[in-house]
Amino acid sequence: MPRIVIVGAGPGGLLLARVLHLHGIEAVVHERDASPDARTQGGMLDLHAESGQRALREAGLEAEFLRMARREGQDMRLLDHTGRLLLQEDTPEDAPMDRPEVDRADLRAILLDSLPPSAIAWGRGLQHAEALPEGRHRLHLTDGSTAECDLLVGADGANSRVRPLLTDARPAHLGAHVIETGIPDLARTRPDLAARVGRGNYWAFGPDRSLSAQLNGDGRLRVYLTFHGPEDWLATCGIDFDDPAGARARLAGLFADWAPQFTELIDACDDTVVPRTLATLPVGLTWPHTRGVTLLGDAAHLMPPAGTGANMALLDGAELGLAIAAGGGDLDAAVRRYETAMFPRAEEAARFSARVHEMLMAPDAARRLLSFFRPAAG
């Protein structure tokens, strides 16, 4: 039986492993993390019916997903930096589950529980891979071991170590940086703020900055502060991110010219302060088909955050798994079919995400977003 190795235990890699497992095809996922609980998995994902939900259906996991999905996570409140409420959408209890929210951790647990323990090799991230004859590859892993495979699938995210086997493309800075913080057990600790932000997404936009918040299924409100700036902004902004209390005070100060309700939200956050820089791969990235290796998810088409990336990764995993299952053992032909379909689909999603990012970076982002959701209001 051909040996298939997937690098990265994110949603796309695990979904691929699950679809292969359903069809009796063995694959091993190599993951750098030492265990499933080695780090937090981030906030909520809205899974779209035509992509993320479809992928879970192909993986036989739709029922598990629907049990954990939060219809009310589709709620939205949009404000400008003066505190003026521009749009409020509250999801009816009987609304269709078109784009329900699910915690990343819950989604990962669904996928992990669907696989035999032997399918995941924890603490074995990829250092680098080398090509061998006839399309095989040798992996040099972080624990000092090596492994060989007939098909290597890079599902290892933005800074993929598999990608260099196929293309020289690297992520480019998007002109923005995001600082994540949050408030635990919001409804109990700050019921006043819970009533203000609602059950789902809370967005506020002003020139050069934005604030968004998202209520997670575990009760934590994740708060994201976005600042426009050059690639080295995190290093030059003068904020010591190793001093959470001091960093929070400095961050609140950067919103001092906004309505007081926003600095109140920042002041209520805990000592979680995680800075990130936003980056993207070129829209429409492709590579010459290469026997024995391919990419999925952010490794293949990292795009600005606009609610599409995780959905595309899940769909990548499903479509690659189904192509392999239907390929009669011809891995190379299956990968070629997958890439032929994935490239234009990913390009369309990346172009949409780029348009959304451009809109959110505009000085009048709040007005543009209002027109996006309610064209008649523009």
Side-chain angles (χ1 to χ4, degrees):
M1 178 178 292
R3 180 169 176 78
I4 300 173
V5 168
I6 303 162
V7 178
L14 292 175
L15 197 289
L16 169 59
R18 165 63 179 177
V19 171
L20 293 175
H21 176 68
L22 274 184
H23 290 85
I25 301 170
E26 293 184 7
V28 176
V29 180
H30 288 280
E31 169 55 46
R32 187 174 299 268
D33 288 348
S35 71
D37 303 319
R39 58 188 172 91
T40 61
Q41 294 302 305
M44 303 289 289
L45 297 170
D46 64 318
L47 295 193
H48 306 172
E50 72 281 3
S51 51
Q53 292 186 52
R54 175 189 154 200
L56 290 169
R57 189 161 53 250
E58 297 286 3
L61 299 173
E62 184 178 32
E64 288 85 345
F65 161 71
L66 291 175
R67 280 197 292 270
M68 290 189 172
R70 297 175 59 242
R71 178 184 282 106
E72 67 275 13
Q74 300 172 105
D75 288 7
M76 179 179 62
R77 299 183 184 186
L78 172 64
L79 304 91
D80 65 18
H81 67 288
T82 70
R84 182 165 60 110
L85 181 65
L86 303 176
L87 179 65
Q88 178 171 335
E89 292 186 343
D90 296 319
T91 309
E93 294 302 319
D94 59 349
M97 297 282 268
D98 290 338
R99 296 191 173 190
E101 300 277 351
V102 64
D103 282 28
R104 285 178 180 267
D106 288 342
L107 176 62
R108 196 187 201 203
I110 290 171
L111 292 165
L112 287 173
D113 289 347
S114 74
L115 294 168
S118 59
I120 316 291
W122 298 102
R124 299 186 76 193
L126 178 66
Q127 293 281 28
H128 69 276
E130 58 179 311
L132 301 174
E134 299 182 358
R136 291 178 57 79
H137 288 82
R138 178 178 295 123
L139 285 64
H140 296 264
L141 303 166
T142 53
D143 66 351
S145 65
T146 62
E148 294 186 8
C149 61
D150 300 289
L151 175 61
L152 171 60
V153 181
D156 49 341
N159 299 309
S160 171
R161 298 197 175 189
V162 178
R163 190 190 301 122
L165 294 169
L166 294 169
T167 174
D168 293 332
R170 296 290 183 274
H173 178 53
L174 271 169
H177 307 265
V178 178
I179 318 299
E180 179 186 340
T181 181
I183 306 172
D185 200 2
L186 180 70
R188 184 183 64 82
T189 60
R190 292 299 303 265
D192 56 328
L193 297 181
R196 180 182 301 165
V197 302
R199 306 177 301 174
N201 293 288
Y202 178 87
W203 293 336
F205 294 88
D208 303 322
R209 283 156 292 164
S210 64
L211 179 152
S212 62
Q214 185 183 61
L215 185 63
N216 283 204
D218 62 1
R220 179 177 180 82
L221 183 75
R222 291 180 182 264
V223 178
Y224 302 94
L225 310 176
T226 300
F227 299 92
H228 307 177
E231 191 168 3
D232 63 351
W233 185 86
L234 290 176
T236 62
C237 66
I239 299 174
D240 181 1
F241 293 105
D242 293 325
D243 172 17
R248 188 169 59 249
R250 289 293 307 276
L251 292 167
L254 293 175
F255 283 83
D257 58 336
W258 283 35
Q261 67 194 64
F262 301 116
T263 50
E264 182 183 5
L265 194 64
I266 298 170
D267 288 337
C269 290
D270 62 13
D271 285 346
T272 301
V273 181
V274 182
R276 301 186 183 94
T277 294
L278 298 183
T280 184
L281 285 168
V283 172
L285 175 66
T286 64
W287 53 83
H289 175 75
T290 303
R291 185 177 178 187
V293 59
T294 193
L295 305 171
L296 63 76
D298 285 351
H301 42 66
L302 176 67
M303 57 190 72
T308 57
N311 283 281
M312 290 298 101
L314 289 166
L315 190 55
D316 287 349
E319 292 199 338
L320 178 54
L322 292 171
I324 292 171
D330 189 341
L331 287 177
D332 190 57
V335 170
R336 192 183 294 274
R337 286 195 300 275
Y338 156 73
E339 291 175 343
T340 298
M342 181 269 289
F343 287 147
R345 173 171 54 79
E347 179 177 359
E348 181 181 0
R351 289 196 185 282
F352 168 79
S353 297
R355 289 195 301 271
V356 171
H357 178 72
E358 180 183 7
M359 176 174 59
L360 300 186
M361 293 284 283
D364 58 346
R367 181 188 63 79
R368 292 194 185 195
L369 197 59
L370 176 61
S371 296
F372 176 79
F373 286 116
R374 290 286 183 269

